[in-house]
Amino acid sequence: MPMQTSNAFPVARSVAICAVVMTLVTSASAQVASAQAYKLIVNDANHASGISSSEVAQIFMKKKTDWPSGEAVIPVDQSANSPSRVAFSKDVLHRDVMAMKLYWQQQMFAGRANAPDEKASDAVVVAYIKDNPGAIGYVSSAASTTGVKVLVIHE
């Protein structure tokens, strides 16, 4: 009687390879989308052109309170449901929005610091930063940044 061969192994191998490829594509797409989800902005009078990711995190967690010029830093957040805030929190603060809300509740309860002001939209953030030389915030990548400066975030 002739021996029957099974195609199970090649099919399983193909499925596994497809799964790995899809994971890599999805991961790369998520990183690109995340990197393009927001722009970090400051007042035009601010002398900075770039800032490290860790310094931005210190500013938004209010561990760094002054610019190199000595002027007070005023961080401004977007609303909690903003896609740019979700991406910013994940990329820069390495926490999700709810974890940051909990962090600020603990800070306020301990009397250490208050959370950054939340603004309702990109336009409100841009207007606030135009009016406040020490302010720093972020807007969606599609937002108009006329009248403010976009900072490059580096490692």
Side-chain angles (χ1 to χ4, degrees), residues 20 24 33:
V20 169
L24 292 172

Side-chain angles (χ1 to χ4, degrees), residues 50-61:
I51 190 168
S52 72
S53 180
S54 63
E55 189 173 7
V56 176
Q58 290 174 347
I59 288 170
F60 275 85
M61 295 177 83

Side-chain angles (χ1 to χ4, degrees), residues 27-51:
S27 176
S29 296
Q31 288 174 350
V32 169
S34 180
Q36 297 175 352
Y38 59 88
K39 295 183 269 190
L40 187 67
I41 59 173
V42 294
N43 185 283
D44 262 343
N46 191 308
H47 295 293
S49 59
I51 190 168

